[in-house]
């Protein structure tokens, strides 16, 4: 695997591949890679000839109270994992290369509606930072397809909407969440959990499953579904397990608007604090 941090070197390699008629899949990351990221590379291999990954801890998507300086950076280990997974090129730009005029003078991409609630509300400006960096990386790498993990369900909807709204010729491939045997979604943030917290953290996914079962059962029995009351019950159970729920909502799977009885494709979105970690998770529910 070749590692480049120079934009012109990246563009030259992409151009050479294009001239050979090769297709490109892209896996953008912020590093500190785990098996979930590698599953994105594995999926990428199914869709293109060449795989480009990036590692860039994007300052634009961190809030003022979020500690970007302490975000885990594990470059050598990440390079070994990406090489083993068959990545062809790793792009590792610096913030100065990506934002040469500083963040204050940077143009940005803002995706309305889907960026607004949930993580968008808890982390103001976060999705503006995500859509802007992903747009820039797409312009630099010019991939045919790009893979994103469904653990960040709202992020996938934001990026999918941006691609559609701005007519970007890129197919977004959502990749299922990788989990520990306990059900805990793999995340770089799990590194902040103590052994004790790791034991209670799966309560988040367990209660999403409980809630999904309640919804499915009521739908099958043709009962009214009070999404708000059920979500409040799941929230209470998560908090009782020792986590602090940030939000938990049942939503339309695409628009992310609050679910109604007319919707058959739903997603339960949730975030909860566990010690120093803010965990996010979700569960899709298909009613038929
Ligand atoms: O999901 C992430 O790791 C980041 O939000 C992304 C997509 C790499 C943009 O910085």
């Amino acid at each position: 695997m070749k590692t480049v941090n120079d934009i012109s070197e990246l563009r030259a390699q992409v151009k050479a591949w294009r001239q050979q008629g090769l297709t490109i899949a892209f896996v953008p990351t912020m590093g500190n890679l785990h098996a979930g990221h590698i599953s994105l590379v594995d999926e990428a291999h199914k869709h293109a000839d060449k795989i480009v990954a990036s590692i860039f801890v994007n300052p634009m998507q961190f809030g003022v109270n979020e500690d970007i300086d302490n975000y885990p950076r594990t470059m050598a280990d990440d390079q070994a994992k990406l090489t083993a997974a068959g990545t062809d090129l790793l792009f590792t730009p610096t913030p100065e290369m990506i934002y040469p005029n500083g963040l204050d003078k940077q143009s940005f991409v803002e995706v309305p509606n889907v960026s607004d609630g949930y993580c968008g509300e808890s982390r103001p400006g976060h999705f503006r930072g995500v859509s802007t960096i992903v747009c820039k990386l797409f312009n630099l790498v010019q991939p045919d397809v790009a893979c994103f993990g469904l653990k960040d369900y709202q992020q996938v909807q934001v990026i999918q909407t941006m691609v559609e709204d701005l007519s970007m010729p890129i197919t977004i491939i959502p990749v299922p969440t990788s989990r520990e045997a306990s059900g805990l979604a793999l995340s770089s943030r799990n590194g902040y959990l103590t052994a004790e917290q790791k034991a209670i953290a799966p309560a988040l996914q367990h209660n999403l499953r409980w809630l999904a079962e309640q919804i499915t059962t009521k739908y099958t029995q043709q009962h009214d579904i009070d999404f708000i009351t059920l979500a409040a019950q799941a929230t209470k159970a998560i908090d009782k397990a020792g986590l602090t729920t940030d939000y938990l909502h049942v939503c339309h799977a695409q628009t992310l608007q609050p679910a109604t009885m007319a919707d058959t494709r739903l997603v339960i979105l949730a975030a909860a604090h566990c010690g120093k970690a803010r965990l996010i998770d979700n569960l899709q529910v298909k009613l038929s």
Side-chain angles (χ1 to χ4, degrees):
M1 181 185 73
K2 192 167 158 185
T3 300
V4 301
N5 74 356
D6 185 72
I7 288 178
S8 50
E9 220 181 317
L10 169 74
R11 286 200 192 278
Q13 179 61 85
V14 167
K15 192 173 171 191
W17 284 334
R18 288 277 174 227
Q19 281 168 348
Q20 292 166 46
L22 299 172
T23 54
I24 298 170
F26 180 42
V27 179
T29 81
M30 297 209 300
N32 195 227
L33 305 182
H34 50 67
H37 296 106
I38 300 309
S39 76
L40 303 182
V41 178
D42 293 342
E43 183 63 32
H45 278 292
K46 299 178 194 162
H47 301 274
D49 303 311
K50 295 288 177 188
I51 312 298
V52 177
S54 63
I55 295 180
F56 178 63
V57 182
N58 173 32
M60 203 180 182
Q61 69 188 76
F62 284 77
V64 276
N65 300 322
E66 295 175 356
D67 194 0
I68 186 170
D69 294 335
N70 281 329
Y71 194 85
R73 285 158 173 92
T74 51
M75 187 58 82
D77 191 47
D78 293 348
Q79 282 173 311
K81 286 178 179 158
L82 290 170
T83 302
T87 307
D88 295 283
L89 188 139
L90 172 63
F91 179 50
T92 56
T94 61
E96 292 71 27
M97 283 174 195
I98 294 292
Y99 302 118
N101 301 318
L103 287 181
D104 292 347
K105 298 202 180 92
Q106 174 64 44
S107 306
F108 57 82
V109 179
E110 185 124 15
V111 182
N113 304 320
V114 279
S115 299
D116 291 347
Y118 322 116
C119 281
E121 194 173 325
S122 305
R123 304 180 67 191
H126 171 68
F127 286 119
R128 173 194 286 191
V130 169
S131 36
T132 301
I133 188 61
V134 172
C135 176
K136 275 185 82 97
L137 291 169
F138 281 178
N139 285 335
L140 292 167
V141 177
Q142 300 188 15
D144 299 280
V145 306
C147 297
F148 291 88
L150 275 169
K151 180 180 74 68
D152 298 298
Y153 190 94
Q154 189 175 9
Q155 171 170 280
V156 175
Q157 294 307 314
V158 168
I159 291 162
Q160 182 66 56
T161 306
M162 173 183 78
V163 163
E164 284 167 20
D165 285 357
L166 302 182
S167 309
M168 296 177 170
I170 300 168
T171 303
I172 302 303
I173 315 273
V175 181
T177 305
S178 298
R179 298 185 180 278
E180 296 196 355
S182 64
L184 177 64
L186 296 191
S187 166
S188 301
R189 286 164 212 268
N190 294 356
Y192 298 128
L193 299 171
T194 63
E196 204 174 284
Q197 289 160 354
K198 215 163 176 193
I200 60 169
L204 181 57
Q205 172 64 197
H206 292 174
N207 283 289
L208 297 194
R209 281 198 212 138
W210 172 83
L211 177 50
E213 270 168 35
Q214 298 295 313
I215 293 170
T216 309
T217 306
K218 285 187 189 299
Y219 182 83
T220 312
Q221 295 172 349
Q222 298 186 330
H223 290 165
D224 282 352
I225 309 174
D226 182 346
F227 294 108
I228 291 175
T229 302
L230 286 172
Q233 285 171 2
T235 301
K236 205 167 163 193
I238 291 165
D239 291 350
K240 200 168 166 211
L243 285 74
T244 308
T245 306
D246 178 0
Y247 65 78
L248 191 157
H249 296 285
V250 187
C251 316
H252 184 283
Q254 269 178 321
T255 63
L256 306 188
Q257 291 301 305
T260 70
M261 286 288 290
D263 300 330
T264 52
R265 287 200 54 217
L266 307 173
V267 62
I268 310 168
L269 299 177
H273 294 275
C274 187
K276 278 201 281 177
R278 181 175 175 279
L279 308 173
I280 61 170
D281 208 344
N282 63 80
L283 190 60
Q284 291 183 69
V285 187
K286 287 184 186 141
L287 303 172
S288 58

